[in-house]
Amino acid sequence: MSSLIDYLSCGLLWLGVLVKTPDLIRHWHDPYLRVICVFLGLAGACFLLGAPPTVGAINQLSGIPNLAAPLTYASVTAYGASSQVLIVYWRGGPNVHRTARRWIVAYTFILVGIAVTFALGRTPVERRTDLDTYYATTPFIAEMIVLYLAGHLAAVSVTAVSALRWARQVRGWLRAGMITLGVGSLCGAGYSLTKFAAVIARWTGRDWTQLGTTVSPVAAGLGAVLTVVGVLIPLTGPRLTQWWQARRTYAGLEPLEHELAELLTRRALRLPRPRWSSPETRLVWRQTSIHNALGHLDAFFDRALYERTLEEAARTTGDPERAEATAWAAVVAAAVAEERSRDPHLVPADEPDRLTDRAPGTALLIRIADELTRSPLVAAARVRTGTTEGSTRA
């Protein structure tokens, strides 16, 4: 089950890289985008290389006992460093490129050190889960273990401090992302610290192997998940907010579109409804339909009804914006009824009591839709227009 979670996590992270690949190809010179892709790729590699079946496969295919160990250590170290480089580019500043290069150069030396010490040491017995404690006293292998743990601990600790300190200065999705990233980095530090504790215990003759084989993997997995989520929150959060607001606005405009539906159909003013589209696309479609209908109705907008309703609504509610929306809702409802009763071959005259010089703005539409369903003034205007319409026909 643990291996399955590792592979699923790796697949999801690499799917994120795949999604970002088109942007990376188009904007290859964007360092921030490159670091994002490297970060996600290394996070996936940590899950892949850390899974016991992968460890056994690498060792068997290479013919080198425990070759998977330095590869895993290198990916964990590089992943920790990439999170700090990402923070550097995220914050920006005059020396951002220089600072990022220093981190990259420093951890390149650590990665080289891991490779050299493994090559110099001897690990004849394959250990898939407890290599750290089993070879904690073996020359060169012990140095390799200390090197990767120290490098990883330094990277995640600096990342945690930077992210949590920055979270105090920002708001919104970025703040949530930085807090999550900081907590994830602290969990990553817990991985290194528990591994260190197990190794030091081995140096002193104690057996704390279970600490490194049970607690450390949990801390590493939780830290990786939280860190990746922390990075993705500021990237996806604004998009989710925009998506949710579009859905709410689309739903909120439904009463206004319903009021205009018969006119839209009869006059063929509505474009085909988009299917399998984003909330933003559906919102634009509904707003366009409403504007088409209002543009057709503007010759029927009654100025006297608007001013009378505006004054009464302002006196009743004490809210100028709501009063304006109520007045427009009454005018639109009355205009729909009047247009329906008008002879289609007659063009309405440009009478002085018509509101032909103005129309409700897009920002007001959602409040107009709301007033159509709840304002007694709008209901009264609709009834009066219907009565007048019936008298005219009689």
Side-chain angles (χ1 to χ4, degrees):
M1 186 63 180
S2 175
S3 299
L4 178 61
I5 294 175
D6 288 336
Y7 291 135
L8 288 175
S9 301
C10 174
L12 289 175
L13 290 166
W14 284 358
L15 179 62
V17 176
L18 185 63
V19 170
K20 283 288 183 182
T21 298
D23 292 335
L24 181 63
I25 295 174
R26 286 193 300 267
H27 307 286
W28 174 251
H29 296 292
D30 183 352
Y32 175 68
L33 190 57
R34 292 203 303 268
V35 173
I36 282 284
C37 291
V38 170
F39 172 82
L40 294 175
L42 288 172
C46 291
F47 282 107
L48 176 66
L49 295 174
T54 304
V55 173
I58 292 174
N59 295 338
Q60 184 177 359
L61 292 174
S62 66
I64 302 175
N66 300 304
L67 177 62
L71 295 179
T72 304
Y73 297 164
S75 67
V76 170
T77 304
Y79 162 71
S82 68
S83 65
Q84 176 56 28
V85 172
L86 182 59
I87 288 286
V88 170
Y89 276 114
W90 221 336
R91 297 201 64 170
N95 298 319
V96 58
H97 297 295
R98 182 186 304 174
T99 304
R101 279 196 299 269
R102 287 176 178 173
W103 275 97
I104 294 171
V105 170
Y107 274 81
T108 299
F109 280 113
I110 293 177
L111 296 177
V112 171
I114 291 173
V116 170
T117 50
F118 179 78
L120 294 174
R122 292 184 67 255
T123 56
V125 180
E126 183 186 47
R127 309 299 297 187
R128 297 190 180 185
T129 59
D130 63 346
L131 184 140
D132 309 82
T133 51
Y134 188 86
Y135 289 106
T137 58
T138 302
F140 295 110
I141 303 302
E143 285 77 4
M144 178 190 72
I145 294 169
V146 170
L147 185 61
Y148 106 84
L149 288 176
H152 179 261
L153 180 60
V156 295
S157 298
V158 173
T159 300
V161 172
S162 300
L164 294 176
R165 181 181 298 169
W166 191 17
R168 299 170 60 186
Q169 305 171 14
V170 295
R171 293 292 181 269
W173 287 109
L174 183 56
R175 179 185 177 88
M178 289 302 98
I179 292 175
T180 307
L181 175 60
V183 173
S185 298
L186 288 176
C187 291
Y191 164 81
S192 298
L193 289 173
T194 51
K195 284 282 188 179
F196 256 133
V199 169
I200 294 173
R202 180 73 173 82
W203 292 345
T204 59
R206 296 181 178 86
D207 184 9
W208 288 4
T209 302
Q210 289 296 318
L211 188 63
T213 57
T214 57
V215 179
S216 293
V218 173
L222 181 60
V225 170
L226 290 176
T227 302
V228 171
V229 170
V231 169
L232 295 179
I233 282 176
L235 298 178
T236 59
R239 176 65 177 169
L240 289 175
T241 299
Q242 183 181 359
W243 181 85
W244 178 248
Q245 288 176 343
R247 285 199 61 174
R248 289 188 61 187
T249 305
Y250 177 83
L253 289 175
E254 195 277 334
L256 180 54
E257 187 195 6
H258 180 73
E259 185 80 23
L260 302 169
E262 189 272 338
L263 169 66
L264 287 166
T265 302
R266 178 164 45 84
R267 297 293 186 181
L269 298 173
R270 180 157 43 199
L271 296 174
R273 182 186 295 270
R275 300 186 181 277
W276 309 108
S277 55
S278 66
E280 292 89 345
T281 301
R282 293 197 297 272
L283 175 60
V284 170
W285 170 81
R286 177 163 281 179
Q287 288 175 330
T288 302
S289 299
I290 291 171
H291 281 299
N292 289 344
L294 294 180
H296 180 80
L297 288 174
D298 62 355
F300 299 92
F301 290 161
D302 188 335
R303 183 184 299 275
L305 175 61
Y306 175 84
E307 293 176 350
R308 185 171 62 252
T309 307
L310 179 66
E311 181 180 353
E312 188 172 352
R315 184 174 60 253
T316 303
T317 65
D319 183 347
E321 291 186 1
R322 182 179 175 184
E324 184 183 8
T326 304
W328 272 116
V331 167
V332 168
V336 169
E338 183 179 352
E339 192 275 343
R340 188 186 302 116
S341 64
R342 174 87 59 165
D343 187 336
H345 299 291
L346 296 179
V347 178
D350 187 12
E351 302 171 7
D353 60 343
R354 298 297 184 184
L355 280 167
T356 55
D357 58 335
R358 58 183 302 192
T362 302
L364 193 60
L365 294 181
I366 189 72
R367 303 200 67 170
I368 293 174
D370 189 37
E371 294 303 317
L372 279 169
T373 60
R374 70 172 183 171
S375 174
L377 297 177
V378 176
R382 191 181 284 117
V383 169
R384 282 197 301 269
T385 306
T387 302
T388 305
E389 181 181 335
S391 300
T392 303
R393 287 177 180 174

